[in-house]
Every structure is written in C-alpha cells, then in structure tokens.
Amino acid sequence: MINRLQDACTKSGQGLDIDLPQIAVVGGQSSGKSSVLENFVGRDFLPRGTGIVTRRPLVLQLVNNTSGEWGEFLHKKGQKFYQFDQIRAEIEQETDRTTGHNKGISPVPINLRVFSPRVLNLTLVDLPGMTKVAVGDQPVDIEKQIREMIMQFIIKESCLILAVSPANQDLANSDALKIAKEVDPEGMRTIGVLTKLDLMDQGTDAKEILENKLLPLRRGYVGVVNRSQRDIETRRNIQDAIQAERKFFLSHPRYRHMESRMGTPYLQKVLNQQLTNHIRESLPKVRSRLAKQMADIEKDVKDFKDFKPDDPGRQTRTMLGLINQFMNVFGETIEGHSGVTVSVDELSIGARINRIFHDRLPIKLAERTIDEKHLRREIKIAIQNIRGVRTGLFTPDMAFERIVKEQITVMKNAPLEIVDQVTSQLVGAIRQCSKNMSNFPQLREEVDRLVATYIRKQEVKTKEYIDNLFAYETAYINTNHDDFIGFTQAAANTTTEIKKNPNQVPKNMVIRKGWLSINNLGMMRGGSKEFWFVLTAESLSWFKDDQEKDNKYTIVLSPEMRLRPVEKKSVFGAHFIFQIFHTDNKNIFKDHKTLDLSCRDADSLETWQASFLRAGVLPEYKKPEEEGGAEEEDLDKQIEDSKDPQLERQVETIRNLVDSYISIVIKNLKDQVPKMIMYHMLNATRSFIAEELLAQIYSEVNISSAMEESPEELERKSEMLNIFHSLQEAVKIIGDINILTHSTPTPAAVDYNWVQENQRQAPQQTPFSQPQLMPSPMPSNSYGGYGGPPAGGIPP
C-alpha cells in the first residue's frame, strides 16, 4: 500500500513533501551494505568496485510477486529489466548522467522496483558509504557532502535507520551508529546489523552484542554473513551463499543457540515487520499531511481544475473578473489604498501626482517671473514706446497690460510640462495595475494599448483647455480684482519700497523641518556635515540635532535671496545639492557667498525647493538664449543710463502692479491646472475603464486569442493539476489502508549513551575480548534480548 502511495506521489514529478515511511541503509565504506541488499533480492545487481561506489541514493522497492522476476526504474517507466546485469549497468549510467564519470555524488535518488517471489515487501534507501578522504576528482569536502545527504533522509521521523557495521572493527566507533544517535537519540528508529562475522579474529566473537547485552540498541542487532570478495568475483550464487550463512550460524559454538534469529532471511522478516509497525504508527501523521496539502492546493486549483480551455463562458467570466480587478487596482492607485494593502516601500502613483501638483507646479510657475533686470528693461521699453515722441505725465496703463500679458504667456510652458509628467505617471500606472493579467499576455497588451491611447487623447484635450485658460487670462486683465493693489497702492508701495511676496505665509510660521547637510562650512569645505534645519517664513536656522537646543546659525530671509539646484556627481553617485545666495552678491552668512545644502534624494530636493518658495526664496531665473549679442547689450546700457526720475517712478509703479497681478494669475493657475488635469485625465480615465473599456475590447479584440494563457501559466497549472490528482489518488489509497494490521509493541528503552560516550573517548578494550557483561534492561515481554520482534510465523 505504501509503495502504491509512493508511486502516486511521484506521478506528479514534483516530489510531494509527505515523508513516507521507509528504511535508510547507512554505514561506512565497505561495511557490507550493498551485499545485504543483494542478499535480500537474491541477485547481483548493484555496482561494485573500490572507493565510493554508491554515489546517488538508491530507493529500492521490493515487491513480492509470484508471476516472475524483473526490475523497473522510475526514470524509464514501462520498461522491464529481466537481466540483473542490465539493472546494474543502468544504475551506473544513470549515476554518471548526474554526477559525471568521476567520484562525485548527487542527492537526486534513483528509484528501482524489484519484483520477485523471493523477497518480502520492503522499501529501502541505499545511501553512499561514509568516508573521510577525497579520492580522484572528488571535492575536498566530500565527507561533509555525504553526511548532509544521509541527514536529509534519516532526520525524518518516518524513516527507520538500518545501521550496518562490520563485526571485525570496533563497534563503539561505528560511523553508522554515531550518525544514527544524532537524529535518533532514544533509539526508537535504529536497527543494528552486524556484517563480516566470519572475518573476526580467532578467539573473538560478537555473542554479547548480538544478544543485545553489550552496547545495546533498543531494537537490537541482527547478524549476517555476506559473500566474500572472492565469492563475488567468481559470481557465486547468492542462494548458495545464504545456505552457507545458515550453516555458519548452526555450526558456530557461540551463535548456534540464536541461529533462528540470525541471517539474511530473518533480517528480511524483521525489517518487514518493523516497517509495517512503523507504517502503522506513521499513518496518522501521513494522513494529516495529505489532508493539509490537499486543502491548500484545492484552494489554488478550484478555479481551473475542471476548466476547458476553449469554453467561451469561462473565457468571458475570467476576462470580466480581470477587468474588474484592474479597475479596482487603478482606483486604489490613484485615490489611495486601504490600510491593509498600503505600501510602505515607495510612493504610489496618486501620491506622486499630488507632489507634481503641489511641489513642481509652483516651482515651474515661479521660474519666469523673478529676473528684475530683464523685467525692468521690458517695462522701460514699453513705457517709452507707448509715449513715442511725447513725454507723458501719467503712468500708461497700456504698458502695464502689455507686460502682464507677456508674463502670463511665458508661464504657459509650466502647466504643459506638468501635464506631460502626469501623463507619464498614468501610463506607468496602467502597466503596473495590469499585472493581474500577466497570465494572459495578449489581453494585457490590448488593455494597456487601449487605456494608454485614451490617456494620450485626454492629454491633448487637457492641453487645449490649458491653452484656453491662458487665453482667458490674457483676454481680459481684471484690474478690479479684490486682490489687486491698484495704481494708488502701487504708487504708495513705490514710495515706501514695500514688496509683497505672492507666496507670503504668516510670520514665524514653521514651513518645514528636516535633516540637511552643509557642504561648504568652514573646515568642512569640500566635505559635508549634517544638521537639523528649521525653515520659517522669515528665517532659516540649523541646530546640532532635532532637539533644537544648540542653535548653530540663523539666516534672515529676504526677497533678494534666490535658490538654484547644483548638479554634482562623484564616484559615490549623484549628490542632490542646492544653493541659497543673494542676487546682489552679498555674503549669505559669515564670509560665504552661498549656502550649499544637500539632500538624500531627488524627492527631498524638490520638496525643499517648494518649501523655500513658500518662504519667499524664489528659484534662480534662467535667462533664455536670445539673439542680439552686442546690439542688445548696447541697448541695455542706454536704458540703464537713463536717469529720468519720472520714468523710474513709473517703472517701479508698473513693476509693483505686474507683481500684484501675476501673483493673482499664479494663484489661479495653481488652483485651476490640477483641477483640469484631475477632471480631464484621472477621472476621465477611471470612467473609461469602468464604462467603455470592455466594449472596446469586444469590438477591437479577438477574445479567443486574447484569452490564451502564457506557456508559463499553462505549465504552472499543469504541474498543480498533476499534484492535485496525485494527492487525490494518495488520499484514496491511504483510505484503503487498514490501520488495525497486526503489530508488536514498541521495544523497551535501553542505556543508549554508550555511543555518545565513545565518541569522546575510545574504550580501553575491544568489545570482542572478554568484557564485563552488562545486564539486559529489556523486560521479558519485549524481544528477550535478541534484537528482533516475535512476528507471526517467526520462531520465538
């Protein structure tokens, strides 16, 4: 039954993690492990040679069969090997296929099933012999590799350990018993086998060990006599060898009283019975694991375990579900996530767009309105051109309108750039939100194409509305606006030289706090030092730490201060630096012309720029490249040389009027542009996905081809279905197993500490001299000290 269960689990090819009961054969090199297995089968079928011969685990399933004798490999399903020489050759070839022709090892098992009338039903795993010296091209850590491989099998609670030790070596130093003790300290799973009893020195024997009195094991020992190397070379018949083994025990004066409990046939019966007992004990755990795996995988395959790939109804349901999921994810990405799914690693698309609206847009709008020299030059020229040959007594309002319209027009590029940035973010969001369709690559490509095309259309429409907004602003200059200072107040401001900051916030209001590094402070020039900065509407202060107790310096902000980003790269990566400076080239603090500050990333740089803008520190004006050269410089010089006091007062008046009106326009743009983008792009895209996307897919896309799954997904589903069907079959098989099979009680405990003690200190005498006898701790109702359970049909 367990063999059927194991086959069911291996049909999927995935190696289900069920840990079926089995027996692992462990021992040192040349301890006789392979001979024991061949004696079980009664045939020569295992590779022979010097050094490490078993280089891959061999899972050997012995099946009692009265209709013939043959072998089958799991990697060659359906092919029967009737010649056991061919089985040996196939084991060697399959080993070389994975490990090469050298002496390397591999943990990938070879599965062999042998059908024979001479075997009892058993499952054994032949493992490589433990060694300490690398041979040939073996890695230097071959001992560690073999040990780790053996541990993979014997550490499982479902695995019985057949510890094979040669009797002509000191049993207290047995590698097999030492490694078994590590994983089975109570000896519940360890069965001892003594080989080479016929090769012991004269005058020594293993009687006390086989009676489980000396160096006892809970399950005891069974002695066997294998064929000699000469017998193997002369290809002596194994059945004759088993008969010779029986004669050895019958004729040996120290072993003949326990002859019925020694030898290969008895070992088969013991292992068969103990494996049956172990299977019975392990069944509840195996059932639990199967039930858990079945429940877990049934959730994953419930949607496709009965599906037909070409079923149009299934295709439609699947597509509708994917589109709805895509719509919900896009809505969360823009509007915000629930508390369960919110990311703490990076900003969402909606948060990035918010920063574009409130950080980048104000900076872009402010960049063109702050070059005093350029602006005053334009005002002077406009006033003089309007007067012509006459000398005017009053400030011409036509000059004001002309300059204001020009200032409004040159600001148009800022919102258009913002639209481009939002478009880029939205297109990226579409690709990110359609990840749930990755199993249907054609459908995903079509959805991405349709939504991206719609976003591009809305981008053009939004830019048209922004063009119209600027046309509205320049069509009528509203000098009666509530926030406009008017000519009277402008003239008064000219006299008192009061300038109003369009971004003004209440005095002493803290705008921003955070860590920044100063890159040009005293001895640290060329280096950097981090401080805690506090930015208010009137000042910039920095402190030693965020407790704000040790004030290092405070700069009073003024309208003449400007801010400019500085690109600086090094072998350590980009540095995000910006400078604060005076337009009149005065020292910004102490003897420094600039204050060089650096941030940790580009987002922080942008946020600090927006914060300084609110405090009245405007971005540096970048003068566009213009033609004119020397002629324009001459004209500038003539205008600057003009000393007409009336003209200067009129220029200052118009300058204040322009400043006041432009602040109104900027306020309108900062309010209206995000609303336009939100309405025409974000909200419109959400409506398109919810209301029109599905209709366009049906009208433009071939549903059958779009719903074809990717090869990777088809392979994944195929693997999961194989596992599911394997588990189904395994559950059915395990339901047929009768857990009330005949079994024997668990062996009584013994003093098993001798293995650990002998690892620290070797005994003074060998166990095969005349040792002091240890009383058997086993009760009379256990195994009577001979190491095997009294199963049905076995002599007591």
Side-chain angles (χ1 to χ4, degrees), residues 659-782:
D659 206 12
S660 174
Y661 197 84
I662 290 299
S663 68
I664 296 172
V665 175
I666 289 176
K667 188 182 296 185
N668 290 341
L669 292 175
K670 288 195 292 187
D671 180 62
Q672 294 296 318
V673 171
K675 290 178 178 178
M676 288 183 176
I677 295 175
M678 192 71 197
Y679 179 79
H680 292 293
M681 297 190 70
L682 278 71
N683 291 350
T685 302
R686 288 188 63 185
S687 299
F688 171 78
I689 294 173
E691 300 170 7
E692 301 179 32
L693 177 59
L694 199 59
Q696 290 205 16
I697 289 175
Y698 274 107
S699 63
E700 299 183 23
V701 178
N702 186 322
I703 303 301
S704 297
S705 61
M707 293 307 294
E708 290 180 359
E709 294 179 292
S710 65
E712 295 80 8
E713 177 64 10
L714 289 174
E715 182 179 357
R716 184 188 72 85
K717 286 185 175 180
S718 176
E719 291 176 355
M720 293 190 67
L721 285 173
N722 285 338
I723 294 175
F724 176 72
H725 294 315
S726 295
L727 285 170
Q728 270 188 327
E729 185 177 348
V731 169
K732 181 179 182 299
I733 292 170
I734 204 168
D736 297 336
I737 297 178
N738 180 11
I739 64 172
L740 298 178
T741 51
H742 171 71
S743 63
T744 56
T746 303
V750 298
D751 182 6
Y752 196 28
N753 292 325
W754 60 269
V755 177
Q756 186 174 0
E757 292 170 0
N758 282 283
Q759 289 179 20
R760 295 194 299 265
Q761 182 176 2
Q764 298 298 320
Q765 57 182 356
T766 67
F768 312 114
S769 57
Q770 297 298 324
Q772 181 180 357
L773 298 183
M774 294 177 60
S776 174
M778 289 188 169
S780 59
N781 62 352
S782 114

Side-chain angles (χ1 to χ4, degrees), residues 532-570:
W532 178 259
F533 278 77
V534 177
L535 175 65
T536 70
E538 293 186 327
S539 65
L540 175 67
S541 304
W542 57 90
F543 302 84
K544 181 180 179 181
D545 52 41
D546 55 3
Q547 300 299 317
E548 299 180 14
K549 294 179 180 178
D550 185 4
N551 189 346
K552 296 297 183 181
Y553 203 86
T554 297
I555 295 176
V556 178
L557 302 180
S558 67
E560 291 77 19
M561 288 184 180
R562 295 291 182 268
L563 180 149
R564 62 167 167 245
V566 179
E567 292 186 6
K568 191 174 182 181
K569 296 183 178 180
S570 68

